[in-house]
Amino acid sequence: MTSSSAATSLTREVTVLQGVPVVPGVRYAPVIRPGRMPQVDELSAGPEVAEAQRPAEAGRFAAAAAAVAGRLKDRAAHATGAASEVLAATAMLAQDRAWLGAAEKRINQGEPAVRATVEAAAQFTDLFTQMGGLMAERVTDLRDIRDRVVAELSGLAEPGVPVPDVPSILCAEDLAPADTAGLDPERIIALATTLGGPTSHTAIIARQLGIPCVVAVTGLDAVAPGTPVLVDGTRGTVEVDPDPDHARAQVDSAAAAAAATANWAGPGATRDGHPVAVLANVQDGASARAATQVPAEGIGLFRTELCFLNRDTEPTVGEQTEIYTEVLDAFPGRKVVIRTLDAGSDKPLRFAGHAEEANPALGVRGIRIAAGNPDLLDNQLEAIAAAAARSAASPWVMAPMIATPEEARNFAERVRAHGLTPGVMIEIPAAALLADRILAHVDFLSIGTNDLAQYTMAADRMSAELATLTDPWQPGVLALVAMAANAGAAVGKPVGVCGEAAADPLLACVLAGLGVSSLSAASAAVRAVGATLSAVTLAQCREAADAVLRTASAAQARAAALAVLG
Ligand code: PEP
Ligand code: MG
């Protein structure tokens, strides 16, 4: 919805765009937008370069490649962890003598620089693919470099997410998880997208990075780069070109509100001492170490697939062991729940062998991939067991997308064979309905409310239009959460929530009232969740949970919880 509202100054009209709030926080800065991918085929058409102009054309190419490498190096210097290493390696590849030489040779034979860039890159991507293994991993990087050099030569904006000189707000139609994962929160201080739902993986990574984010913003496409905007990740609004004093006051007051929860130090419990562990959701060693900076008691969800989004080939057991060890080492002696690869749908992994499917969200994703590719799961379990031995840790291991007790039984058998503790995610309504029978095979459950909402409401979690249906406050979704929690309580096995519902402080209290034993959220949400829970009693949480289960809509459920919990 696009609306015009009177600004603080009577002489100014400010456009307020409405979207769906995802990561709280208020930021004011100019807009930047990702550059479009250049149409390399069209751009590489062109006549032969006259002999006299070839040295100049070669110089133009060398300058473009150097500019691209310089920008990548600069990004690497400002990023941390794996993102920094990837960017530094890509910068080096952009200056690799072999492919630069191949392009220069073509230019000296008369090819225009753009075509020479495209053909030299193709020559090396073919070679890397044939070599396989680690070299094959570089194919994507070289294609990325090719696109950047072609854009530079053609006077187009750099493709992908640009690196701004001043802190900026990234506005885009949508962002691939791989783009979002490499963002530097010091430079990209807020995100707003036209598409996407509140539980899309872009939103999840934004939450992980603690970058305020609003998705499904109608009218955002019309906001030009450079326009100052005020993004409110709590209300879900984007104010276009607001009064600067008003905008700065909003930023300051949000920062003061965040500071109010800053003193909560854990462990998670209601005011009257009922324990509910507050854990962190992480995606790699860097985010696990970041989680140690907030009072998280451990890790409730390690999304392992997010480590490998850029890989063309399966990571070796040794490579996986390194990464898992880093995560375990961040929380020595604490609970760490590792989820096996949840590839597919909006998180395809190139090495998982996904077939073309009409409905990938309903297709071969999550644990279903293991049926056609059993080594993928066994290699991962081997790596987790090796990391556990190396860190002297006892991680819990859970499978995504379990639909039947039989799948749970098979998974548990394979996990136990590696000496690890098995559990499963409850993300499919059938699994919630049969939670008691699933619990006969596994030691714990973890409810993924993002997919549980998607599948319960038959509404794509990526759809902006259906965002009210995928709202985890939907009482239909919460009724299934209650079933799973009750099944766990009946046999004394833990049932946690690791979907985005656990990051909403009010809903977290309702979940505690429904009987869940842990809440796992992005680090950025941990303090607010813990502080809110510590201000209410278990009886209030239970009363709110009962009230919510009697409602007929998400709006009514929120209102009912607010009436009890304040
Ligand atoms: C979920 O579905 O709630 C969940 C935690 O898994 P993901 O968001 O990674 O699909
Ligand atoms: Mg899921």
Side-chain angles (χ1 to χ4, degrees):
M1 174 187 68
T2 307
S3 63
S4 267
S5 68
T8 43
S9 143
L10 289 175
T11 53
R12 236 157 165 263
E13 279 275 307
V14 174
T15 301
V16 182
L17 307 178
Q18 184 67 51
V20 175
V22 171
V23 182
V26 179
R27 298 285 188 273
Y28 173 56
V31 166
I32 54 158
R33 287 189 171 276
R36 294 199 186 287
M37 286 299 156
Q39 301 295 314
V40 287
D41 291 342
E42 278 170 32
L43 293 168
S44 51
E48 184 163 301
V49 178
E51 194 147 1
Q53 283 154 13
R54 289 176 195 171
E57 188 73 347
R60 214 165 68 78
F61 166 74
V68 166
R71 279 198 291 267
L72 288 166
K73 257 189 234 153
D74 190 44
R75 276 179 75 185
H78 287 89
T80 54
S84 169
E85 282 162 31
V86 168
L87 290 166
T90 313
M92 273 176 69
L93 186 60
Q95 287 292 272
D96 180 81
R97 278 308 322 154
W99 94 272
L100 290 181
E104 275 156 13
K105 189 169 160 206
R106 286 168 186 278
I107 295 169
N108 290 331
Q109 287 164 352
E111 285 191 19
V114 169
R115 195 185 321 145
T117 305
V118 173
E119 289 182 357
Q123 179 185 332
F124 280 85
T125 52
D126 289 351
L127 183 70
F128 289 174
T129 308
Q130 280 161 19
M131 289 162 83
L134 279 180
M135 290 316 290
E137 298 295 330
R138 310 310 307 274
V139 168
T140 314
D141 299 345
L142 190 51
R143 288 203 183 115
D144 182 43
I145 291 166
R146 174 200 66 190
D147 290 346
R148 288 173 195 276
V149 173
V150 168
E152 182 74 21
L153 285 167
S154 313
L156 301 172
E158 192 170 1
V161 176
V163 183
D165 297 330
V166 293
S168 300
I169 292 175
L170 179 61
C171 294
E173 191 171 55
D174 201 4
L175 292 162
D179 281 338
T180 342
L183 292 182
D184 173 1
E186 303 269 307
R187 295 194 184 204
I188 303 294
I189 59 169
L191 287 176
T193 60
T194 313
L195 303 177
T199 58
S200 62
H201 287 97
T202 292
I204 288 168
I205 294 170
R207 193 173 274 123
Q208 212 96 269
L209 293 168
I211 303 178
C213 175
V214 182
V215 298
V217 184
T218 311
L220 188 68
D221 288 345
V223 183
T227 313
V229 293
L230 178 72
V231 169
D232 185 332
T234 310
R235 289 190 301 143
T237 53
V238 177
E239 288 186 36
V240 183
D241 196 12
D243 173 68
D245 291 339
H246 153 79
R248 287 190 198 105
Q250 296 286 312
V251 171
D252 292 347
S253 95
T261 64
N263 292 333
W264 182 75
T270 56
R271 193 171 78 213
D272 51 337
H274 172 72
V276 183
V278 180
L279 308 163
N281 289 353
V282 304
Q283 64 194 51
D284 56 15
S287 58
R289 286 187 290 279
T292 64
Q293 304 304 305
V294 297
E297 289 156 62
I299 292 171
L301 169 63
F302 170 18
R303 289 183 166 96
T304 55
E305 66 283 354
L306 297 186
C307 302
F308 308 121
L309 290 174
N310 288 322
R311 304 277 307 223
D312 285 321
T313 54
E314 183 186 347
T316 63
V317 170
E319 285 171 315
Q320 293 188 56
T321 305
E322 293 292 328
I323 296 172
Y324 306 154
T325 305
E326 268 191 61
V327 172
L328 291 173
D329 284 349
F331 282 89
R334 300 298 191 82
K335 178 167 169 177
V336 175
V337 185
I338 303 180
R339 180 174 74 185
T340 56
L341 295 174
D342 184 19
S345 194
D346 65 329
K347 287 178 295 189
L349 292 179
R350 286 192 285 274
F351 56 86
H354 303 290
E356 278 290 314
E357 292 178 301
N359 293 307
L362 299 180
V364 183
R365 62 167 291 203
I367 191 65
R368 299 167 184 186
I369 289 175
N373 198 346
D375 287 352
L376 206 56
L377 177 59
D378 283 327
N379 291 342
Q380 187 173 26
L381 293 176
E382 192 183 326
I384 295 170
R390 210 193 269 182
S391 313
S394 312
W396 292 7
V397 182
M398 64 183 179
M401 295 293 294
I402 289 288
T404 67
E406 181 59 13
E407 286 173 354
R409 191 183 66 74
N410 282 332
F411 178 75
E413 220 167 66
R414 289 164 78 172
V415 171
R416 288 202 177 95
H418 285 87
L420 299 162
T421 302
V424 299
M425 291 196 67
I426 300 291
E427 317 182 83
I428 297 179
L433 292 164
L434 300 195
D436 55 345
R437 277 146 273 183
I438 286 178
L439 274 167
H441 305 295
V442 296
D443 294 348
F444 69 96
L445 302 179
S446 183
I447 305 173
T449 45
N450 309 333
D451 277 315
L452 189 60
Q454 158 163 266
Y455 297 124
T456 304
M457 306 304 294
D460 185 348
R461 63 192 269 187
M462 301 292 291
S463 163
E465 223 173 314
L466 304 178
T468 52
L469 287 178
T470 45
D471 187 337
W473 280 94
Q474 284 289 349
V477 177
L478 294 173
L480 290 170
V481 171
M483 277 195 86
N486 290 342
V491 292
K493 292 188 179 179
V495 178
V497 171
C498 64
E500 299 306 291
D504 172 340
L506 186 65
L507 185 48
C509 297
V510 171
L511 295 171
L514 289 172
V516 310
S517 51
S518 63
L519 299 160
S520 193
S523 297
V526 159
R527 279 184 209 280
V529 168
T532 308
L533 191 65
S534 72
V536 296
T537 63
L538 178 60
Q540 281 178 299
C541 293
R542 287 188 173 147
E543 193 188 332
D546 287 345
V548 160
L549 290 179
R550 286 195 299 271
T551 63
S553 72
Q556 285 175 14
R558 266 195 189 88
L562 264 177
V564 178
L565 298 165

